[in-house]
């Protein structure tokens, strides 16, 4: 039988942050990568193609396209997102992807979820991920679930950049209260490591974080990298609620009871992973402020 390491790894979300970081990490490790995307001709897909990936058409609402994209793949990096769609759609699309993996004989699935999403948090877009995790556990598939903590990359999106240009980093957290954070580059590195050692990680669920950071620490790291003063300012949850009940529920949970991840034990068990710090993350970006 062909070794799993000799077969392609199918990567969903390959033209986005998490999937893109995973695809690049796999390519650096010499793996064959299929970058699943609805538009193989997009600039992001072409950039991955220039690195050696094979952009392949796949649409979560088109089961035939999923089957074709996964046919012959040895492993799958699977992810879902509730934003830009509704929560029921996220579950439907996520389970369709996993069903296609089972039908085509994929030998290992690495599903990226969220820290503590297996604990019935009451956060809508965490609870949908729990439902997808449960579906995966019921399939006859070797699997690993990764639960990343708060994404540092979310603090460089368009909404955040607008306030950063005014010298303010907004965060719906009280002053001095830390969050476990991680960059998508670190998620990609960890996912590639798991995909290189599938037997050691089969049946495991691992929450991921690089460090605990307060909003003030994140603001200071961005200020140092951007070369301009930036202060942290708390956004009241009532304001967040007017924009998104889902995000308000998430930050309410972040405050109480808070995310639970043993970072020291995680890092001790995985010394081969470079756990990118907030300072390294910020210094590695171009800040258009």
């Amino acid at each position: 039988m062909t070794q799993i390491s000799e077969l392609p790894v199918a990567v969903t979300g390959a033209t986005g942050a998490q999937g893109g970081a995973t695809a690049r990490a796999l390519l650096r490790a010499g793996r064959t990568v299929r970058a699943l995307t609805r538009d193989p001709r997009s600039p992001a897909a072409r950039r991955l193609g220039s690195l050696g990936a094979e952009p392949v058409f796949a649409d979560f609402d088109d089961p035939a396209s999923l089957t074709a994209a996964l046919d012959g793949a040895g492993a799958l990096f699977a992810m879902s997102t509730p934003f830009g769609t509704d929560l029921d759609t996220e579950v439907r699309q996520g389970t369709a992807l996993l069903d296609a993996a089972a039908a085509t004989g994929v030998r290992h699935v690495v599903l990226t979820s969220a820290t503590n999403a297996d604990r019935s948090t009451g956060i809508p877009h965490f609870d949908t991920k729990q439902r997808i995790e449960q579906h995966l556990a019921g399939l006859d598939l070797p699997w690993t679930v990764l639960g990343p903590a708060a994404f540092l990359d979310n603090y460089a999106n368009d909404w955040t950049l607008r306030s950063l240009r005014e010298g303010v980093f907004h965060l719906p957290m009280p002053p001095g209260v830390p969050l476990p954070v991680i960059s998508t580059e670190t998620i990609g590195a960890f996912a590639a490591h798991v995909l290189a050692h599938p037997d050691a990680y089969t049946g495991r669920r691992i929450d991921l974080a690089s460090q605990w950071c307060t909003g003030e620490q994140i603001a200071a790291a961005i200020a140092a990298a951007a070369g301009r003063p930036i202060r942290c300012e708390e956004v009241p949850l009532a304001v967040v609620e007017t924009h998104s009940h889902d995000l308000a529920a998430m930050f309410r949970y972040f405050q109480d009871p808070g995310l639970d991840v043993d970072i020291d034990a995680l890092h001790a068990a995985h010394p081969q992973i470079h756990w990118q710090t907030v300072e390294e993350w910020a210094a590695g970006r171009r800040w258009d402020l």
Side-chain angles (χ1 to χ4, degrees):
M1 179 183 289
T2 305
Q3 295 294 314
I4 189 172
S5 59
E6 300 173 17
L7 296 170
V9 180
V11 178
T12 59
T15 57
Q18 266 195 96
T22 300
R24 292 190 298 271
L26 288 166
L27 289 167
R28 288 193 296 269
R31 300 294 294 272
T32 301
V33 172
R34 287 184 190 168
L36 273 55
T37 172
R38 285 180 295 180
D39 185 3
R41 298 181 180 180
S42 70
R46 290 200 301 269
R47 283 193 294 272
L48 279 176
S50 71
L51 296 175
E54 178 192 6
V56 174
F57 172 73
D59 185 333
F60 285 1
D61 286 320
D62 179 359
S65 75
L66 295 176
T67 300
L70 295 177
D71 186 36
L76 167 66
F77 176 79
M79 58 175 291
S80 63
T81 175
F83 302 109
T85 183
D86 61 85
L87 297 171
D88 287 337
T89 298
E90 181 191 10
V91 175
R92 187 186 72 249
Q93 292 180 339
T95 55
L97 173 66
L98 298 176
D99 288 344
T104 53
V106 168
R107 298 191 205 170
H108 192 144
V109 172
V110 174
L111 173 68
T112 180
S113 179
T115 294
N116 297 172
D118 57 334
R119 304 188 185 186
S120 301
T121 61
I123 304 167
H125 75 278
F126 278 41
D127 290 349
T128 51
K129 288 174 174 56
Q130 182 180 32
R131 290 167 61 187
I132 296 169
E133 288 185 40
Q134 291 168 341
H135 185 79
L136 176 60
L139 296 174
D140 186 20
L141 270 173
W143 56 265
T144 306
V145 174
L146 305 181
F151 285 14
L152 286 170
D153 302 70
N154 286 342
Y155 306 137
N157 62 23
D158 290 341
W159 182 82
T160 305
L161 286 175
R162 285 198 293 272
S163 64
L164 289 176
R165 291 186 181 110
E166 299 173 0
V168 181
F169 173 63
H170 286 116
L171 189 68
M173 293 291 292
V177 177
L179 269 175
V181 297
I182 191 167
S183 69
T184 54
E185 286 300 313
T186 304
I187 299 168
F190 198 95
H193 172 72
V194 171
L195 288 161
H197 305 87
D199 293 342
Y201 289 93
T202 295
R204 295 176 62 184
R205 189 189 192 284
I206 304 171
D207 284 333
L208 303 179
S210 289
Q211 65 187 119
W212 290 89
C213 275
T214 64
E216 292 82 356
Q217 289 173 300
I218 298 170
I222 296 173
R228 58 174 296 175
I230 294 171
R231 72 179 188 277
C232 182
E233 195 171 283
E234 181 182 3
V235 179
L237 288 177
V239 173
V240 180
E241 188 76 52
T242 64
H243 294 279
S244 169
H245 166 71
D246 195 340
L247 291 180
M250 181 179 74
F251 280 103
R252 191 171 292 112
Y253 185 92
F254 284 179
Q255 293 183 27
D256 184 22
L259 294 174
D260 175 25
V261 53
D262 189 340
I263 292 179
D264 290 341
L266 173 69
H267 293 193
H270 299 92
Q272 64 277 78
I273 302 297
H274 177 66
W275 299 95
Q276 192 176 50
T277 66
V278 64
E279 292 80 11
E280 291 171 325
W281 167 79
R285 301 189 66 91
R286 294 182 61 183
W287 294 93
D288 179 20
L289 303 186

